[in-house]
Amino acid sequence: MPPVYADHPFQLIATPTYQLQDGEKSNECIDAATHMALAHNLMIRSLNAMYLQAPHIAAEQEGPFLRFCELWHQVVEHHHRTEEEILFPMLEEMTGDRDVMAENAKQHDAFQGGLTVFVGYVRECLSGERKYDSEELVLVLDEFAPILWQHLSDEIPSLVALERYGAKVDGFLAKFAAEVGKTQKELGILAGAVFVMATNDVDFEDGIHTDFPPIPYVVSWGLRNVAWWAHSDWWEFAPCDKSGKMRPLNIPSA
C-alpha cells in the first residue's frame, strides 16, 4: 500500500495568488484571501488526517489522537470566533454594508451543532465516559465536515470580491491581523502555535508562500525545535512533520 497523505478526502483550497495569470497583479483583497485560504488549509489537512487515521488508532494511541482532535476543534472555534467578533464587524463598518459577509456568517450556524457534538464525543472518550469507536467518530465528522469544507472554500472568493469597495477597505488586512494577534495566546504556544507548524505544508503550491505563517524565522525555529516536544505525541497524527513537509499518515500497510 503506497503512503497516504492528508490531501484528501476534502480538497485543499487553491489560493488566489497562485491562480494569478501572467501580467496580473495582486492587491490587498487577493493577499487577504490567500492568507485566509492558507489558514483554512491548516484545518482541512488536519480534518483529513483525523478522518483517514481514525480507523487505525491503536489503544495506546487513543489519548494523543483524541488530544489532537480536541485541539483541532479549539483552533476551528477560535478562527470562526475571530471572524464573527473582529473581521465581519470590521468589514461592515469599513464598507458601510451590513450584509458584506452575511452569507459567510450564516454558514457558521450550519456546522456549529456538528462541531459541538464532535468535541463532546472527543471529551467523553478522553474522560473515560465513552469508549473510543472509530466508526462513531467518522460518522460524527460526516455529519458536518462537508458543510464546514464548503464554508471554508466559499469564504475565499468573498474576500477577493471586496475589491468592489475600492479604497473603503484599504488597510483591512493589516488591521485584522493586528487584532487577531492579540487573541493568539488563547490557544497557547505549546498547543495552538505548534499546531500551525504541524499542519502547514511549506511545499504547497510550489512553496511560494514563504510569508505564511507571518512570524519571524527565530520564532518558527523555536516552535519546531523546542515547543514541538511538549506534545510530540499529538503531532504524530498531524499532516506535516517537524520541518513542515507532508508526512505519510499513521495507516498500517496492507
Side-chain angles (χ1 to χ4, degrees):
M1 179 178 173
V4 177
Y5 297 88
D7 54 5
H8 68 288
F10 298 100
Q11 185 177 356
L12 295 168
I13 302 169
T15 67
T17 295
Y18 192 72
Q19 296 177 87
L20 288 172
Q21 302 299 310
D22 289 344
E24 284 187 305
K25 293 184 178 180
S26 189
N27 57 46
E28 185 174 5
C29 297
I30 289 174
D31 290 346
T34 291
H35 277 249
M36 189 66 79
L38 294 172
H40 287 182
N41 281 340
L42 306 181
M43 301 176 227
I44 294 172
R45 285 190 198 94
S46 40
L47 171 61
N48 286 336
M50 293 187 299
Y51 200 94
L52 293 168
Q53 293 176 112
H56 306 285
I57 300 301
E60 65 274 13
Q61 297 176 313
E62 289 177 8
F65 175 69
L66 290 165
R67 290 296 180 193
F68 179 76
C69 294
E70 183 182 38
L71 179 58
W72 175 83
H73 170 267
Q74 292 171 352
V75 169
V76 172
E77 287 281 15
H78 176 268
H79 178 81
H80 289 120
R81 189 168 66 253
T82 59
E83 289 183 341
E84 292 173 354
E85 297 178 0
I86 301 173
L87 180 62
F88 296 166
M90 183 183 75
L91 289 173
E92 289 173 13
E93 181 179 351
M94 294 179 80
T95 63
D97 183 354
R98 294 186 60 185
D99 295 324
V100 59
M101 300 295 286
E103 287 303 311
N104 302 104
K106 193 183 301 181
Q107 286 178 320
H108 286 190
D109 295 333
F111 58 76
Q112 188 58 52
L115 275 176
T116 301
V117 172
F118 171 79
V119 75
Y121 176 82
V122 167
R123 287 173 177 164
E124 285 179 3
C125 290
L126 283 168
S127 69
E129 297 174 58
R130 186 191 295 252
K131 182 174 173 56
Y132 173 74
D133 183 323
S134 64
E135 290 187 8
E136 270 193 85
L137 182 64
V138 170
L139 281 172
V140 170
L141 286 172
D142 279 337
E143 285 295 316
F144 73 90
I147 305 169
L148 171 62
W149 178 86
Q150 192 63 58
H151 164 71
L152 296 174
S153 182
D154 288 349
E155 201 167 78
I156 307 312
S158 295
L159 290 172
V160 174
L162 293 173
E163 294 170 326
R164 67 189 186 276
Y165 293 101
K168 287 184 178 181
V169 293
D170 284 355
F172 87 92
L173 176 55
K175 185 177 178 182
F176 176 57
E179 291 301 313
V180 170
K182 299 174 185 177
T183 73
Q184 291 304 310
K185 62 182 180 182
E186 295 174 13
L187 292 172
I189 293 175
L190 301 181
V194 180
F195 177 91
V196 173
M197 299 293 105
T199 57
N200 182 47
D201 174 16
V202 298
D203 294 325
F204 182 63
E205 295 185 331
D206 302 325
I208 67 170
H209 304 291
T210 56
D211 60 342
F212 186 87
I215 57 176
Y217 171 78
V218 66
V219 175
S220 174
W221 186 94
L223 292 172
R224 295 186 189 282
N225 294 283
V226 181
W228 185 281
W229 298 106
H231 299 302
S232 58
D233 52 344
W234 300 3
W235 316 129
E236 289 295 317
F237 307 100
C240 301
D241 63 20
K242 193 160 63 72
S243 66
K245 305 285 188 179
M246 289 284 277
R247 50 175 283 278
L249 298 177
N250 282 300
I251 298 177
S253 300

